[in-house]
Amino acid sequence: MPRLYAGALTLGMAAAGLSLSAHGATEIAWWHAMGGELGNKVDEIAADFNTSQDDYVVEPSFRGNYSETMTGAIAAFRAGEAPAIVQIYEVGTATMMNAEGAIVPVHELMSESGQDVDPDAFLPAVTGYYTDADGRMLSMPFNSSTPVVYVNRDILDEAGVDAVPTTWQGLGETLGRIVDSGAAECGMTTTWPSWIQLENFSARNDLPFATEQNGFGGLEARLSIDDTAAVDHIQRLADWQQDGRFDYGGRFDDAAPAFYTGRCAMLMASSASLAGVRANAEDFDFSVAPLPYDSDLVDTPQNSIIGGASLWVLAGKSDEVYQGVARFFDYLSSAEVQADWHQFSGYLPITQAAYELGQQKGFYEQNPGSAVAIEQMTGVTPTANSKGLRLGNMPQIRDVIEEQLERIFNGDVSAQDGLSEAVRRGNALLERFQQANG
């Protein structure tokens, strides 16, 4: 990790961290990035844990978005006021792993506290992101999502389309039919372009996003997206933009309104967007479909990879605090709590037991589309290319990629030239991370 981070983390780990509430219970600070209704649900989860026993009080605290939460945590590390638990988004995993002496790996925490944690109980594509080379859990998965396709059924019916193709080749034909029929101005759009159209396209089609097993093999990893079929895919989207089959709608979730208003027939977005789509699709019927794969590359698609965040435990706290964190994590990963969180939020259930509980209670039958993401993630065993990404400075790398994608979709550069520039600049960031942590 950058020297600034490492120093900040190290300096902030001096305090013991034990405090007592008015009732003598050990207090456990939990910093998170869940705002709005999700934040209210986090408060509810903590409150339910607190009332389930008398020894510990988990105190959740909203600290802004993911980036703001991480930045705020750095300041707290410097001041010796670090929380026991902090929620860090998935692209911050490499940074946390390399914060030597600043974190307590979850597998150590649970073992030393006498709590059982079985990595095999979690969805493989989720666990793989947050485990070390020996399969031991470093952080506790919490809110995990993956991309899916949201479909305006009314538009497809008007265009005479019965089913959503599972391949990019078939999708191209269908989108052309939709646009040519006049049923919609735009065939499809996408949120989070780098995450969905490069990171997940590569995973779904078993292509490397970077060397060294996408960074899992070491700090020598370098981007490879300019040397795979990902170039052809981005060029395909650029070509589709010329005839209306694709429309670039911006970074983050900026493209979602184009789907909500019916301008675009399909939206590629996070599975955790399901609640938002449901709330904004009052004027049309919608369905959920898997992320397509490229039939020129694979016969059977791989799993997509996750977004979201996990919970990291910070060093320097007392044994009492760590006992409480372990108890809370055991509670948090229970089938009942995870099923409730998943069904409320749209994030994936992190354990197989939570998924099975939802099946037993008929949740997926009553809520069509809710199981698509889970089936997409669990249908195959992850490969080195679909396990996920573990790259240093990944937030900055995504910014570089997004900038080049905008240039490509604006027609300023070819897909090859744009992605080659993204690789050049991204690799400079990876080299800087390696030098700081090698």
Side-chain angles (χ1 to χ4, degrees):
M1 69 190 312
R3 295 296 185 190
L4 172 63
Y5 285 9
L9 289 168
T10 303
L11 289 174
M13 296 298 111
L18 172 64
S19 61
L20 299 179
S21 71
H23 302 289
T26 301
E27 296 177 356
I28 300 167
W30 173 18
W31 288 12
H32 66 84
M34 300 278 92
E37 290 301 314
L38 291 176
N40 293 337
K41 190 65 175 179
V42 165
D43 290 343
E44 179 185 314
I45 291 171
D48 288 345
F49 170 75
N50 294 341
T51 58
S52 72
Q53 44 73 49
D54 299 323
D55 298 323
Y56 309 101
V57 174
V58 172
E59 299 179 334
S61 176
F62 173 65
R63 296 287 165 156
N65 63 30
Y66 288 135
S67 178
E68 291 166 343
T69 299
M70 199 166 188
T71 300
I74 293 170
F77 297 150
R78 290 197 185 104
E81 299 174 352
I85 306 168
V86 61
Q87 182 188 29
I88 300 293
Y89 54 168
E90 90 283 6
V91 293
T93 299
T95 297
M96 297 303 292
M97 282 185 60
N98 286 279
E100 186 176 353
I103 66 165
V104 178
V106 162
H107 69 89
E108 289 183 10
L109 171 87
M110 302 300 276
S111 176
E112 293 175 3
S113 300
Q115 299 287 341
D116 182 42
V117 56
D118 180 10
D120 293 336
F122 295 80
L123 301 183
V126 173
T127 313
Y129 222 115
Y130 303 118
T131 53
D132 63 14
D134 296 320
R136 300 175 300 183
M137 294 182 66
L138 300 172
S139 61
M140 176 61 68
F142 179 51
N143 57 304
S144 295
S145 59
T146 201
V148 293
V149 183
Y150 296 98
V151 181
N152 185 319
R153 288 302 324 173
D154 291 355
I155 291 177
L156 265 64
D157 290 344
E158 183 179 343
V161 175
D162 295 326
V164 180
T166 58
T167 69
W168 279 101
Q169 284 75 8
L171 187 62
E173 295 177 5
T174 295
L175 295 176
R177 184 174 175 181
I178 290 170
V179 174
D180 291 344
S181 72
E185 175 186 341
C186 148
M188 62 153 282
T189 189
T190 186
T191 61
W192 296 94
S194 175
W195 181 51
I196 298 177
Q197 302 305 331
L198 279 173
E199 297 164 41
N200 271 281
F201 176 84
S202 297
R204 193 84 165 128
N205 295 285
D206 206 16
L207 301 172
F209 183 85
T211 61
E212 297 293 331
Q213 301 175 55
N214 286 344
F216 280 82
L219 297 177
E220 299 82 9
R222 298 294 184 265
L223 301 181
S224 57
I225 51 175
D226 66 336
D227 195 32
T228 72
V231 176
D232 298 328
H233 174 62
I234 297 303
Q235 188 61 56
R236 168 169 49 206
L237 293 179
D239 293 341
W240 287 3
Q241 178 142 306
Q242 300 303 309
D243 59 26
R245 283 182 286 178
F246 170 71
D247 184 68
Y248 173 71
R251 306 185 187 188
F252 313 113
D253 287 318
D254 293 351
F259 178 72
Y260 297 157
T261 60
R263 192 171 70 80
C264 293
M266 300 183 195
L267 172 72
M268 294 186 182
S270 168
S271 57
S273 299
L274 180 59
V277 170
R278 186 181 292 119
N280 286 278
E282 297 178 350
D283 298 329
F284 62 88
D285 290 331
F286 75 91
S287 61
V288 183
L291 205 63
Y293 66 96
D294 193 315
S295 58
D296 289 338
L297 302 175
V298 292
D299 294 325
T300 302
Q302 277 300 133
N303 59 286
S304 52
I305 60 176
I306 63 172
S310 64
L311 305 182
W312 291 81
V313 182
L314 301 183
K317 305 300 177 184
S318 69
D319 290 342
E320 290 86 350
V321 167
Y322 289 139
Q323 285 285 346
V325 172
R327 283 273 299 274
F328 177 58
F329 281 179
D330 183 63
Y331 173 85
L332 191 64
S333 60
S334 67
E336 293 77 14
V337 173
Q338 273 304 310
D340 179 62
W341 168 248
H342 151 62
Q343 293 169 20
F344 172 84
S345 66
Y347 284 107
L348 297 167
I350 62 171
T351 65
Q352 189 66 32
Y355 177 40
E356 292 172 355
L357 182 60
Q359 288 178 311
Q360 294 169 9
K361 295 189 175 182
F363 173 76
Y364 303 107
E365 292 181 2
Q366 299 164 17
N367 297 271
S370 300
V372 169
I374 305 167
E375 294 165 356
Q376 181 176 284
M377 294 285 287
T378 59
V380 295
T381 301
T383 68
N385 293 328
S386 69
K387 185 178 181 180
L389 307 179
R390 187 166 289 171
L391 302 173
N393 288 331
M394 188 59 195
Q396 298 94 318
I397 290 173
R398 268 192 185 162
D399 287 341
V400 168
I401 291 173
E402 297 284 7
E403 178 184 324
Q404 293 305 310
L405 288 178
E406 287 174 350
R407 296 185 66 210
I408 293 168
F409 296 142
N410 285 335
D412 297 334
V413 295
S414 68
Q416 183 67 69
D417 290 344
L419 291 184
S420 292
E421 177 65 8
V423 166
R424 185 188 68 79
R425 292 171 57 190
N427 283 345
L429 289 165
L430 287 171
E431 184 176 357
R432 189 181 309 165
F433 186 86
Q434 181 183 4
Q435 291 172 348
N437 293 278

